[in-house]
């Protein structure tokens, strides 16, 4: 037996509430991140990711309260990302109850923040999120929620964040994201082969088969998905059962 | 009277889960910001948050007294970094550890580091009694290498390494029981029963 592959549901949180519809919960719990996180744990999720998409500082502050509430009920790791601008934001999220914090734009703007956080809080809680898009001969990194071309080569950036002390890479294909046509296998493989830290594949998941493909055909250690779980088409348990039947070790 | 646990608050990080989990097991948990409180504790939990040197900075002034208490039989659980500080030294930090466990903490040698995710703990120790699925959550780049025979459980990540430690009344885990869902909660319940039995 060895390390199992992780299945990670992702929740988009705005002003303290989950924004995408979730069908499996009672009406009263829809929009409540702690209740949804708890339900996913019950289904067998290995971790939970909260992605804060609040546009305002006020919305971000609300998130910390939600994280605290969630941490009291959740007994699997919780990663919080979105809108982290400085080390103090990372500290605040960890103190509120996040186990890991995911940083993206700020890491590109000021890469030293990765080493600072690794030193102060430990590498294991520093996740660097990389959003990338295909271009001729490779992939380019984007920041600001995919709006700005950082003019950085994805594989080189991935190696750099590893050197700086990141504990994990959350890799999202902007081309695949939202298509439900499957993860970008070539892109995931390019990063997972280039670094020795764990890689979480993200973007494009529309079925358990896509998760199987990315976990079998690349060295990614985890797959992140949102809509296939939210709409109740598949529970995390269903996906794990499917993976197990197809020879992928899961918890 | 419920078991009263001093939970050492020596680093930045999430203490909510461990606190809640221990409370659910029937213990009374006090978050100790002052490490001096550990010297008088009925039971000590050293949580898995922060970095080695930062935790030792806080623990050092009380180190000798804490180890004395552990030697007298005060039950203790060290989780991840909280287990690693029980050793004599660590490759992660410059400061010496508490030295209750003999040996050192070394860098995990594997092609994928940190070892992050759910993996199995193989052990015959009674602390795992009643737990069928022994997959626990790990997130670490260093691991203990004891020379006092305290390794009582092992895990495989490109080779076997010790993941569960026991020396008399003291347990250490490389994994995070507070992040290991039902298996972790069962483990903590067993620890609380064990600690109650030490009194």
């Amino acid at each position: 037996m060895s390390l199992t592959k992780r299945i990670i549901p992702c929740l988009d949180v705005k002003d303290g509430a989950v924004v995408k519809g979730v069908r499996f919960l009672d009406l009263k719990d829809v929009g409540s991140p702690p209740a949804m996180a708890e339900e996913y744990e019950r289904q067998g999720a290995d971790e939970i990711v909260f992605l804060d998409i609040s546009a305002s500082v006020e919305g971000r502050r609300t998130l910390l309260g939600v994280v605290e509430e969630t941490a009291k009920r959740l007994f699997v790791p919780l990663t919080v990302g979105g809108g982290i601008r400085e080390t103090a934001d990372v500290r605040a999220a960890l103190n509120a109850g996040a186990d890991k914090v995911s940083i993206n734009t700020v890491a590109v703007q000021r890469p030293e923040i990765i080493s600072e956080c690794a030193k102060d809080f430990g590498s294991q809680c520093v996740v660097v999120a990389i959003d990338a898009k295909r271009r001729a001969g490779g992939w380019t990194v984007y920041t600001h929620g995919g709006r700005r071309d950082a003019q950085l080569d994805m594989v080189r950036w991935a190696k750099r964040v590893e050197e700086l002390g990141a504990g994990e890479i959350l890799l999202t294909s902007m081309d695949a994201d939202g298509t439900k046509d499957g993860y970008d296998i070539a892109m995931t493989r390019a990063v997972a082969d280039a670094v020795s830290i764990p890689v979480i594949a993200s973007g494009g998941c529309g079925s358990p088969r896509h998760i199987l493909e990315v976990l079998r055909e690349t060295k990614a250690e985890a797959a992140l998905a949102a809509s296939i779980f939210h709409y109740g088409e598949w529970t995390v348990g269903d996906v794990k059962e499917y993976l197990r039947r197809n020879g992928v070790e899961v918890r | 009277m419920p078991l009263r646990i001093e939970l050492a608050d020596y680093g930045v990080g999430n203490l909510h889960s461990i606190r809640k989990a221990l409370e659910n097991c029937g213990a009374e948990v006090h978050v100790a910001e002052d490490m001096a409180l550990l010297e008088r504790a009925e039971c000590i939990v050293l949580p898995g948050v922060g970095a080695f040197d930062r935790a030792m900075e806080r623990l050092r002034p009380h180190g000798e007294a804490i180890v004395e208490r552990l030697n007298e039989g005060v039950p203790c659980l060290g989780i991840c970094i909280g287990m690693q500080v029980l050793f004599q030294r660590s490759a992660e930090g410059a400061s010496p550890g508490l030295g209750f466990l003999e040996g050192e903490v070394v860098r995990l040698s594997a092609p994928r580091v940190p070892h992050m995710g759910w993996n199995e703990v193989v052990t015959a120790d009674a602390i795992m009694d009643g737990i069928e699925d022994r997959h626990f959550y790990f997130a670490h780049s260093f691991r203990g290498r004891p020379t006092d025979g305290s390794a009582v459980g092992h895990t495989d990540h490109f080779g076997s390494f010790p993941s569960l430690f026991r020396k008399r009344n003291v347990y250490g885990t490389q994994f995070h029981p507070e992040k290991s869902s039902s298996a972790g909660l069962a483990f903590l319940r067993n620890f609380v029963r064990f600690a109650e039995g030490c009194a």
Side-chain angles (χ1 to χ4, degrees):
Chain A
M1 297 305 270
S2 56
L3 191 61
T4 58
K5 301 288 186 181
R6 284 174 282 155
I7 305 302
I8 308 175
C10 176
L11 297 166
D12 284 346
V13 180
K14 189 179 183 188
D15 302 325
V18 173
V19 290
K20 279 184 193 159
V22 174
R23 215 179 265 166
F24 57 75
L25 286 169
D26 292 342
L27 211 54
K28 64 177 164 52
D29 281 334
V30 172
S32 153
M36 290 182 198
E38 214 174 10
E39 167 62 19
Y40 283 132
E41 176 183 351
R42 203 191 55 74
Q43 292 180 10
D46 295 307
E47 294 186 31
I48 306 289
V49 170
F50 280 179
L51 197 59
D52 183 50
I53 56 168
S54 302
S56 64
V57 173
E58 205 46 55
R60 297 238 154 76
R61 208 166 291 138
T62 312
L63 179 80
L64 294 183
V66 170
V67 168
E68 193 167 333
E69 200 45 50
T70 305
K72 286 179 189 161
R73 297 160 63 168
L74 192 70
F75 298 104
V76 296
L78 174 66
T79 300
V80 174
I84 302 285
R85 297 214 168 85
E86 49 187 311
T87 315
D89 297 333
V90 176
R91 180 184 299 270
L94 293 172
N95 278 331
D99 298 290
K100 310 184 205 180
V101 175
S102 159
I103 56 176
N104 188 340
T105 302
V106 64
V108 171
Q109 291 169 335
R110 204 172 69 78
E112 316 82 74
I113 192 174
I114 301 172
S115 0
E116 290 164 15
C117 290
K119 183 163 168 281
D120 284 356
F121 316 126
S123 277
Q124 77 289 338
C125 62
V126 185
V127 181
V128 174
I130 301 180
D131 294 345
K133 207 179 217 171
R134 191 182 285 269
R135 59 155 163 77
W139 292 267
T140 302
V141 175
Y142 279 71
T143 58
H144 298 82
R147 289 189 301 276
R148 202 173 295 177
D149 183 348
Q151 306 198 320
L152 271 175
D153 176 69
M154 174 191 71
V155 171
R156 283 181 63 181
W157 175 235
K159 287 182 174 168
R160 180 90 200 282
V161 306
E162 174 179 25
E163 277 165 25
L164 288 167
E168 197 163 40
I169 291 173
L170 168 55
L171 181 68
T172 302
S173 161
M174 291 170 54
D175 302 304
D177 205 23
T179 63
K180 296 193 160 206
D181 285 341
Y183 296 91
D184 187 332
I185 302 290
M187 172 184 165
T188 310
R189 189 183 289 136
V191 171
D193 284 350
V195 298
S196 63
I197 56 179
V199 173
I200 304 168
S202 154
C205 183
S207 78
R209 173 154 199 90
H210 295 147
I211 296 181
L212 175 66
E213 280 166 6
V214 79
L215 294 179
R216 200 149 66 179
E217 293 172 30
T218 76
K219 289 183 186 157
E221 299 207 320
L224 180 134
S227 53
I228 73 158
F229 298 131
H230 294 347
Y231 301 122
E233 298 163 63
W234 301 85
T235 65
V236 179
D238 294 336
V239 169
K240 287 189 151 183
E241 189 46 46
Y242 172 81
L243 293 172
R244 215 174 274 125
R245 275 206 315 274
N246 284 282
V248 174
E249 249 186 78
V250 288
R251 171 177 69 98
Chain B
M1 283 281 281
L3 177 77
R4 186 174 156 93
I5 295 172
E6 291 290 346
L7 176 62
D9 182 10
Y10 47 50
V12 172
N14 173 16
L15 293 183
H16 300 289
S17 307
I18 181 68
R19 177 182 191 167
K20 202 71 202 168
L22 291 167
E23 283 172 354
N24 288 348
C25 300
E28 184 188 322
V29 181
H30 178 255
V31 176
E33 283 169 26
D34 179 359
M35 296 305 123
L37 290 168
L38 305 182
E39 299 180 19
R40 303 186 291 275
E42 190 186 331
C43 175
I44 299 171
V45 171
L46 304 172
V49 295
F52 190 92
D53 278 347
R54 298 281 150 94
M56 277 313 302
E57 224 169 83
R58 303 285 311 283
L59 290 168
R60 167 139 324 94
H62 314 281
E64 271 180 41
I66 293 169
V67 170
E68 207 171 291
R69 299 291 289 142
L70 299 183
N71 281 325
E72 285 166 12
V74 169
C76 171
L77 172 64
I79 298 169
C80 194
I81 209 79
M83 170 276 288
Q84 296 178 357
V85 295
L86 293 169
F87 278 89
Q88 290 167 303
R89 64 195 154 270
S90 170
E92 191 196 344
S95 344
L98 292 172
F100 175 77
L101 295 178
E102 284 162 39
E104 58 186 343
V105 176
V106 296
R107 190 169 273 282
L108 189 66
S109 144
R112 267 281 192 262
V113 175
H115 173 226
M116 181 101 73
W118 298 73
N119 206 335
E120 200 177 16
V121 177
V122 178
T123 179
D125 194 274
I127 197 83
M128 291 283 192
D129 281 0
I131 305 174
E132 274 176 34
D133 183 349
R134 294 173 176 186
H135 280 90
F136 292 87
Y137 181 78
F138 289 82
H140 64 114
S141 305
F142 294 84
R143 56 120 175 149
R145 188 161 69 192
T147 53
D148 54 5
S150 57
V152 294
H154 291 82
T155 294
D156 184 64
H157 181 55
F158 299 94
S160 172
F161 70 90
S163 53
L164 178 66
F165 305 85
R166 180 184 179 184
K167 188 172 170 184
R168 301 187 300 271
N169 42 302
V170 176
Y171 274 101
T173 63
Q174 184 53 74
F175 53 89
H176 289 264
E178 79 285 11
K179 292 285 139 201
S180 300
S181 201
S182 44
L185 297 179
F187 175 91
L188 291 171
R189 206 154 35 239
N190 286 353
F191 173 75
V192 169
R193 296 292 96 84
F194 167 81
E196 285 165 349
C198 289

